[in-house]
Amino acid sequence: MTININPRLTQVFRFVRCSYADGVAELVYAFDHGEELIERVRFPHAPAIPASHQAAFDQVLKLLHLIAGVSYYKAGVPPRIEVVDGPLDDSTAGLLDELYLHGLAEFAYRNGLDLRGRINFPRGGAKQPEAKALGLPHRTLVPIGGGKDSLVAVEAIKSIGGDATAVWVGNSPLIAACAERTGLPMLNIQRELAPGLFELNRSGAWNGHIPVTAVNSAILSLAAILYGFDSIAFANERSASAATLEYDGQQVNHQWSKGYAFEQLLGEWLQRHVAADLAYFSLLRPFSELAVTRAFAKLTPYFDVFSSCNRNFKILGPKPADRWCGQCPKCHFVFLALAPFLAKPRLLSIFGRNLLDDENLAPGFDALLEYQDHKPFECVGEGAEARAAMLALSQRSEWQEDALVARFIREILPQLDAKELALEPWLQPSAEQRIPGRLLPALAFFE
Ligand SMILES: CC(=O)N[C@H]1[C@@H](OP(=O)(O)OP(=O)(O)OC[C@H]2O[C@@H](n3ccc(=O)[nH]c3=O)[C@H](O)[C@@H]2O)O[C@H](CO)[C@@H](O)[C@@H]1O[C@H](C)C(=O)N[C@@H](C)C(=O)N[C@@H](CCC(=O)O)C(=O)O
Ligand SMILES: Nc1ncnc2c1ncn2[C@@H]1O[C@H](COP(=O)(O)OP(=O)(O)OP(=O)(O)O)[C@@H](O)[C@H]1O
């Protein structure tokens, strides 16, 4: 198929239709009346949908269609959004307006666009009846991302004997290896972006970051209804709610759909519109990145399979030769955040090198510390927690002489207020969370 359209010049982004049959969801979009862009999500060994769950399933399928549209909408950001099925009820339109505005905030900032006032999902459709409980089985889907966070969530749930399944979207062998290592039952859902999107990208469409956690969340919500799970336990830490930067009065957060605002919006929408007994939440919400890395440092069986380096997860193009590229902000941050909690030789054996002894990486670590730069557009912790980790290392003889720790002691530390650099407060949980009561005992894993 050849897409003969410049999406930047289009007037309308259309949610054309969505359907589901035999384990495959089809999500169809178009710009103006141009060719259809079809994304497919494949659910393996999909059981028949019980009649009592059909309405709930249809609701989530529609929401998935609306959420996954963000990958295509961003290619053109035309002035109008049309939902061919008719206008949405106000609460659904509100959720989508928020998701597209904040989830695309980094995309807009980096492309010099201002999406405020531009994203208006059609509203005014009939109010939906309140969803009832479906009697979903007490089982938890635990999404696996290949990195440390989801593995900590897995082990916390295992520590209380929770009935859990490791689930992932896409065909990353690295994620599959992590899922296998958990020893849990596994579920791998495939997602195929419309090939036309890559053509549009090649011919000059707008491109940039999208809130991919929202897409994965909608896919897993559909899986929960389809296979019968009453809970979806993401591993999004507290630090994910902190903005990357502020620009023209707007917060820009690379991780917006990992943050608490989105968790509340989607979690409440699912309980109201889909099933009163479906819980969507993050098990790691009370914890900072440093509290999570401290917990992960004890999980040695995962050290030779996990990677937080996002370069492994590209759909197109080459993957890094090593699990850790060593060049990106995720590699830098995870190295720094694990260092206070792991024996140095162990850490170096995970990464295959000492990133803190490489002067060429100074700009990368400076950005993490928010020193002369803003936090990188990546899934990294807050600047203040990176500074706390660096201070902890600067007080340890085995790290003090490494190039970037020595530079921190010499150049950066004198400009900081030492009282604000303690590590201990970062290890304390905060109260903000939406974890269901039956899984709350899993938090003891972090003590
Ligand atoms: C792996 C990665 O980081 N990809 C980002 C990168 O994409 P790139 O062009 O280098 O290659 P591909 O990943 O192969 O993607 C090709 C194009 O496909 C489009 N696309 C891809 C996935 C998708 O869900 N929707 C899409 O539209 C896009 O046009 C790609 O160019 O750069 C892109 C542009 O900035 C990013 O959009 C790619 O990010 C992926 C969506 C992705 O999965 N990224 C996660 C690793 C990620 O950023 N996770 C965040 C979660 C934050 C959140 O709020 O959800 C995090 O870890 O902080
Ligand atoms: N392909 C995927 N399929 C399902 N869930 C995913 C996928 N990628 C990421 N996630 C989930 O999204 C959330 C955020 O991802 P994130 O990358 O922060 O976590 P992680 O990979 O577990 O840890 P790390 O921060 O070390 O990369 C986690 O709950 C993770 O499991």
Side-chain angles (χ1 to χ4, degrees):
M1 179 174 68
T2 310
I3 302 264
N4 295 314
I5 199 164
N6 179 349
R8 295 194 191 198
L9 303 179
T10 56
Q11 290 303 306
V12 190
F13 180 69
R14 301 170 62 234
F15 290 84
V16 179
R17 64 179 181 282
C18 60
S19 60
Y20 172 86
D22 301 329
V24 184
E26 279 196 357
L27 315 170
V28 185
Y29 312 93
F31 287 98
D32 294 342
H33 288 279
E35 285 178 69
E36 292 183 344
L37 295 151
I38 307 180
E39 173 161 335
R40 291 191 177 84
V41 183
R42 296 178 193 279
F43 296 86
H45 312 295
I49 306 162
S52 56
H53 291 28
Q54 188 68 52
F57 185 86
D58 292 346
Q59 283 282 39
V60 195
L61 179 64
K62 271 188 212 158
L63 187 76
L64 170 60
H65 182 215
L66 294 163
I67 288 182
V70 73
S71 292
Y72 307 95
Y73 167 81
K74 66 125 164 49
V77 287
R80 202 156 67 77
I81 291 173
E82 181 190 320
V83 179
V84 171
D85 253 7
L88 307 174
D89 64 279
D90 288 359
S91 96
T92 306
L95 184 156
L96 291 156
D97 283 350
E98 287 285 295
L99 172 67
Y100 277 56
L101 180 66
H102 299 294
L104 290 176
E106 170 187 339
F107 157 86
Y109 169 79
R110 297 176 89 168
N111 283 303
L113 299 168
D114 190 345
L115 299 181
R116 285 171 294 187
R118 194 170 183 90
I119 295 167
N120 296 300
F121 276 81
R123 55 176 73 211
K127 195 167 176 262
Q128 305 289 319
E130 292 280 316
K132 300 196 172 50
L134 293 177
L136 294 165
H138 293 326
R139 309 195 294 158
T140 306
L141 282 174
V142 189
I144 306 293
K148 61 194 170 8
D149 300 353
S150 35
L151 298 171
V152 169
V154 162
E155 292 304 317
I157 293 176
K158 278 163 73 174
S159 73
I160 57 162
D163 184 348
T165 290
V167 59
W168 72 104
V169 177
N171 55 12
S172 160
L174 192 155
I175 300 184
C178 288
E180 211 160 300
R181 192 63 65 88
T182 66
L184 294 177
M186 297 187 286
L187 174 61
N188 180 203
I189 298 166
Q190 294 298 328
R191 173 175 178 230
E192 289 159 25
L193 284 155
L197 177 65
F198 306 124
E199 278 186 47
L200 292 176
N201 285 346
R202 281 192 293 273
S203 58
W206 295 112
N207 199 2
H209 182 64
I210 59 118
V212 67
T213 305
V215 179
N216 287 335
S217 299
I219 292 173
L220 298 187
S221 303
L222 199 59
I225 301 298
L226 183 61
Y227 297 98
F229 289 85
D230 73 344
S231 41
I232 307 162
F234 266 81
N236 297 328
E237 65 288 345
R238 175 175 87 211
S239 316
S241 304
T244 313
L245 57 82
E246 222 175 291
Y247 173 72
D248 196 19
Q250 195 187 7
Q251 295 211 327
V252 178
N253 181 0
H254 171 81
Q255 309 184 70
W256 191 80
S257 67
K258 287 175 59 186
Y260 195 52
F262 179 71
E263 180 189 323
Q264 290 174 93
L265 272 174
L266 180 61
E268 285 164 18
W269 189 95
L270 290 168
Q271 284 189 326
R272 182 129 51 94
H273 295 267
V274 176
D277 54 344
L278 177 60
Y280 165 85
F281 62 97
S282 169
L283 192 73
L284 303 193
R285 186 61 70 201
F287 304 105
S288 69
E289 280 275 7
L290 288 176
V292 176
T293 48
R294 181 178 66 164
F296 184 76
K298 297 181 195 132
L299 304 183
T300 45
Y302 293 113
F303 287 2
D304 65 338
V305 283
F306 88 112
S307 177
S308 306
C309 173
N310 281 338
R311 293 188 184 174
N312 291 295
F313 307 120
K314 283 165 100 62
I315 302 169
L316 304 174
K319 316 273 187 298
D322 297 329
R323 270 183 298 132
W324 299 91
C325 78
Q327 300 298 322
C328 74
K330 278 285 286 241
C331 285
H332 300 164
F333 181 79
V334 175
F335 189 95
L336 176 61
L338 276 172
F341 309 112
L342 266 186
K344 189 172 179 182
R346 181 70 108 157
L347 182 66
L348 301 199
S349 76
I350 292 174
F351 283 80
R353 67 210 102 158
N354 182 353
L355 302 185
L356 281 168
D357 203 20
D358 181 347
E359 278 174 0
N360 296 321
L361 302 182
F365 280 94
D366 284 356
L368 293 177
L369 301 170
E370 292 177 326
Y371 175 64
Q372 298 176 343
D373 204 348
H374 62 74
K375 204 168 78 161
F377 284 114
E378 259 288 7
C379 168
V380 296
E382 296 181 48
E385 59 187 318
R387 296 192 287 275
M390 195 62 110
L391 180 76
L393 300 187
S394 74
Q395 293 164 341
R396 297 186 191 176
S397 55
E398 73 272 28
W399 286 104
Q400 276 168 353
E401 288 173 20
D402 288 353
L404 300 183
V405 183
R407 178 172 172 274
F408 174 79
I409 297 170
R410 202 173 55 240
E411 285 180 29
I412 305 176
L413 188 54
Q415 303 178 45
L416 300 174
D417 181 349
K419 288 198 294 295
E420 288 172 12
L421 295 177
L423 196 63
E424 188 52 35
W426 290 100
L427 304 179
Q428 302 308 317
S430 61
E432 208 167 61
Q433 47 90 0
R434 302 174 54 266
I435 302 166
R438 94 182 152 74
L439 291 172
L440 277 173
L443 297 186
F445 185 76
F446 295 86
E447 285 163 9

